[in-house]
Structure formats: C-alpha cells, structure tokens
Amino acid sequence: MKTRGKWSKQSMVLLSFILGASLFVTTALADLAYASGYEQLKQAVKFTFAQMDSGLSNYTMESTFYMRAGDKTVYESTNVLKSDSVNKMSEEYAATTRVDGEVYNSHSYRDEQISAWKSSSDDHYYVTEYGKINDWRHFSDPFQGEEIRDIERIIDALVGNLKDNVLVDMGMDGGKIYSGSLSEAQVPALVNAVVSFLAKQQITSYSYSRETMTRKLAEDVYVKRVSGQAAEDETGLLTKMSGELVLSGLDEQGEPMEMVFGFAFQIKDIGSTAVIKPDLTNAVVEKPHTMHRFNKKHIGTYRNNIVIEQSDQYLKIGERTVEITDVAGSSVKGRYYETIDPKYADLYPKAALDFTFTAEQVDWLTIFEYTNEEGELRHGEIDIYEPGKIFLNLNMRYEDGHIYYEGEDLRDIYFDHQFVRVFE
Amino acid sequence: MPGFKAALINELYKIFKRKKLITAAVLSVLAVLIGQAAVTAVQAGFGVRLAGSAEFPLIVLPFFVYTILPMFATFVAIDLFNGEYSAGTMKITLTRPVSRFSVFTAKVTSVALFILGSLMFVMLVSMLAGYIFNPVSAGFMGLVRAAAAYLVSFLPVFVFSLLVILLSNLVRSGVTVFFLSLFIFLGFIMMEFIFSKYASFFVTSQFTWYTLWISQSLNILKLLRQTLLMAGLGIMLFTAGFYLFDRRDL
C-alpha cells in the first residue's frame, strides 16, 4: 500500500510538472508565432519606406505638424509632396502658419536638370540649372543602412512592455488599423519627466512665443496622453498615420492649460499623381560652378616670390611663374616654372620645377597633371582669385573625385598659393 | 490537506517573529519617502510634474518590484527553507502530524502572503504620501488603477520567488541561494534586453506587466499569454521545488 502511495505521489509530481511545462512551452511558442501589433506596424513602416524609395511609380504625400496652446494654434505646417519616380520629377508645396496668423508659402520643383524654388515673399522662381544629369532622388529609405539595425534593437528594448499597447484591427478594405494610446499613468516616469522638460524648454525658446504667445506652460508640466493611429492598405502600405502628444500643466498665471503637439501623414493618389513643371518664364536662373571661371582676360603671366626667412631679414631667392597661354571651353593651358637666383641656389636644394599643363574641369575643380622633379605623377589645381590674381595648388593627388594633399613639400614653405598678374 | 492551516499559521508566526519583516517595512516606507522627495524636488526645480496623487503609487511600484520586494521575498524564502535546514528546526516542523506536501505548500503560501502583504502595505503608504504631498485631486478610477497595478504585480514576483524556493531546496547554503537568485535576476533582466523578442520568457519582464492592466484598451490576448506563461512556469517551479523538498534527507 505504501509503495503504491509513493508511486502515485511521484506520478502526480511528474504529471504536474509535465502540465506546467506544456503550458509554458505552448504559450511561449504561441507568443513567438504571434506578431504583436508593434511588430506588424514596424514591418508596415519598413515596407512603406522601401516603397517610397523605389517601389511606387508616383504618389502624393501630405504631412501636417501642429502645436496648439490652449485653443490657439501656435504653429502649423502643411506639406504636399508629389513624386514621380518614372519621369524623375517631384514638387512640394509647403505652408507654415505662425502664431501671429501669418502664413508662409513655398513651392519647390526638382528634376534631373533643375531645381526651382519660390516663396510667398517673392514672385520669382529661383532656379538652379545643373547643366548635366543630376542624381534625382527625393527620398531614401532610412532602413537601408547597417547601423539602423542596432538602433532598432535598442529602441525595441527601450520600448519594452509599452509595445503591447499597439492594437491591430482589421480595416474595412482588407487592410489593418493600428491604434495605441498611453495615459499619464502608463507613460514611464522617466520618459514623462524628460519629455515634459524638453517640451517646456522648447516652448520657452520658441522665438515667436516670447513676443506673441500670451500663455505658455510654466509649472507642473506632465505628459497627459500620447496617442497614435495608422492605417495599412491591403498591399501592406501605410497610407495614413497620425499622432498626438498632450502636455498638461499650469501657465504663468497658475491657470491650468494644455499643449498639443501632433502630426499627420497621408499617402494618396498612388499611380495617378502628375508632377507639373512650373512656368519658369520669369525665373531667376543660377548656374552652379560647373565650368571653370577662366576666360580670355585671364591670359597672362602671374608671379609669386620665393622668399625665405633668415634671422635678420627676409630674402627673395627666386620666383614662381604661371603663364596662362590659352583658355578655351573646358580647358586652361599654361606653363609653370621656377627661377632661382644662382647665388642662392644652395638655399633651394631641389631642382627648379618647369612644366606645361592643360587643366581640365573635373566636377567643380580645374585640375591638371604634372610630373615632379622626382618623376612622380602629381596633380595641381588652378582657380581665379581676386582681380588680377590666380590661385595654384601643387603636390596633390586626385582620385575618385577627391583631392588629397601629399604632405609637406619644399614648395609649401612660405608658399601662399597666390600668384599676382604681371602688368608690363 | 490536513494540517495545512496549522502549518500555515506556524510558518506565518515564524515570519512575524523575524526582524526582516520590520526591516522590509522600514525600507519600504523609506523608499516611498525618498521617491516622494525626488518627485517634489523635480517638480520644484524643473517645473515638471512627475506624478499626480494617483500616479505616485505607480512611480513607486516599478522601483519596489525590482528592488526591495524580490530581495525580501528571497530572504523570506531562504529563511523558511535553508534557514530551517541549517538551524535544524526543519526536523521539528516535519515531525508534526502534517504531510510534507502541506508543509511545503504552507511555506510557499507564507512567501506568497508576504509578497502580497508587502505590496498592499507599500500601496497604502504610497497612496497616502501621494495624497498628502501631491495636491492634485485624483478620481476614483485613479485609485482603482493603482490598486489593480499593485495586485497584479503579485504574480510575477511570486513566480520568481518559486524559483528561489527551488534553489533553496537544491543548494544547501542560504548565502549561495541568495547570490544565485541575484545572478539569475540580473541575468534575466539582461537577457530580456538583449533578446527583446523573447522577453516574455524571462519572468522579470512581467514585473512591469501591470502597465498592460491599466492601459486604456486592454490587450486581452497578450494578458492571457502572459498569465499562461507565468502559470506554466509557476507550476513547473512549484512541482520541481516540492519534488526536491520531498526527497530531501534531513
């Protein structure tokens, strides 16, 4: 009888343990398999960014940011971005309403050739002509980078249990509706304190608030509510997103007041957005420095003294000369040479340099090649300076669109790179 | 369970006789007062309100469940098992006409009551402090929220103490059990940050699950999963603990 009792106790223990273990393991597996609202929303955000970068042929994105103090709107900005990645065109309308009610508008347009910009303070479009195909890209997916994964992990860990407050519902159109709301009690104390403090500082330093805002939060500031909603369509794209942060507290007179910070995004007209190039008849056009600035007037001889310093005097031991012999199209031709006074030859131990060059425009630099006295290939850069002067750099290396200085050279000593025109 | 009631009264009597209970109470009150001083200082210095009267208990809670509460629950568990083994009083307990299961259950229940009692004590003290020092009126719902938060915080801390009880029956030295528990506690917290996707598996992550209960829209499925996870873990730990207790030679 005793043995049987012992056995049944052991089997009870075993059974109970198995029950606990099964409960734990199955729930754990279910928990893993179940993508939380937070995870689903994160995936939707990633997908949307990737689509905006290089998936959608065209779309319109509307975004609004606002800040309200009591029932007065302190700041509001609305942006409408139209993007057409097939024709590589985009335009953006922006309107900002300030606390004094003044509205500031702007319109900008961009394609591969030009970018144009116009604001409400002026009738003209200001156009920059690139002169060659420009890398048109209006949006780049922030999740493409490597380091973003680590940042994502840190954010996930910091969000912790708060991520369970993201709820998902099925939408009417087969998509999903995300929503989440945190009350004062749920906002962690530290987050509440930091946000309240930063917001308070921000409001105080907001330039317009000093003069025009009659009321602002001064004491007892706390995060009263944080809420957000988002809608995902059946393709997985987040078409709407909005959020609000409500700060509560007392104003400078000790009266209770609320401040609301909010945003709203909307992506619409996918596939039916047309970007229209604005009428640029009266535009102010600026061509950026894509061609060298030399012309015929720069042909001539330029000189730079080789001066060394001695304990009791400055001594001119020779001259560096640049002769510009021809300027045509994208190239500048000339000669560089050094003449050293024979009696000071021992003070300038290197062989005097003498070469002719043809400088070509590379990006925004006018660059030429030359061989130095040691037979090494080097690059030089030439540019115009104040009237009657040119600027010359030697002993450089040009690789992959970048210019590198090759360390100290004898010529660097007391060489200010400035050559003055010789008028004779 | 014949004799369970007697065994429980016996165990509770032992806890009440310990100085640790008073130390825990004093430390808890101190923590509440220090927390209140910090809240008042931040409010006066930065003009930022950390907590209204109803929120103050919720500021104290995470601090309490991550420090004083698990520490003293561990002390109590070690006292009731290792303490009795080393003092030789376990024999006296077991020679009473009570089954080993009843003794074990009474000890576990005592630890549970200690945790629940501590939570209620701190809740009342912090509510009182909240109402005295944070002159912002709170509605009835604020009170209910705070009470709910304190009540549900019992479960994860209790499951953790079951782990300590298991260790108490596995390892002879109370000091070793304490350090092992501390190591596991900190290890769990670290793991839940590193593997945030698997955070629910580490019971320390549920120490703040009260936020789920007081949220404006209840995430029922998540609550259910968390409850089942803790129940499963709790049953395993309780059974394994009892198995070791039952087989242990005195």
Side-chain angles (χ1 to χ4, degrees), chain A residues 101-119:
Chain A
E102 205 177 303
V103 182
Y104 178 85
N105 284 307
S106 72
H107 178 226
S108 60
Y109 167 84
R110 214 156 74 83
D111 62 26
E112 286 185 305
Q113 305 287 339
I114 66 156
S115 77
W117 183 80
K118 179 181 178 298
S119 77

Side-chain angles (χ1 to χ4, degrees), chain B residues 43 48 83-86 124 150 166 169 175 193 209 226 234 246:
Chain B
Q43 196 152 334
V48 167
E84 287 211 30
Y85 286 127
S86 56
L124 290 175
Y150 273 80
L166 175 73
N169 285 288
V175 180
F193 267 92
W209 84 318
Q226 300 271 47
D246 193 40

Side-chain angles (χ1 to χ4, degrees), chain B residues 58-91:
Chain B
L58 293 173
I59 289 191
V60 174
L61 182 59
F63 173 74
F64 181 62
V65 294
Y66 272 108
T67 53
I68 300 173
L69 185 59
M71 188 167 81
F72 277 93
T74 304
F75 282 147
V76 169
I78 290 172
D79 259 356
L80 291 185
F81 290 94
N82 300 80
E84 287 211 30
Y85 286 127
S86 56
T89 49
M90 190 65 95
K91 270 193 188 118

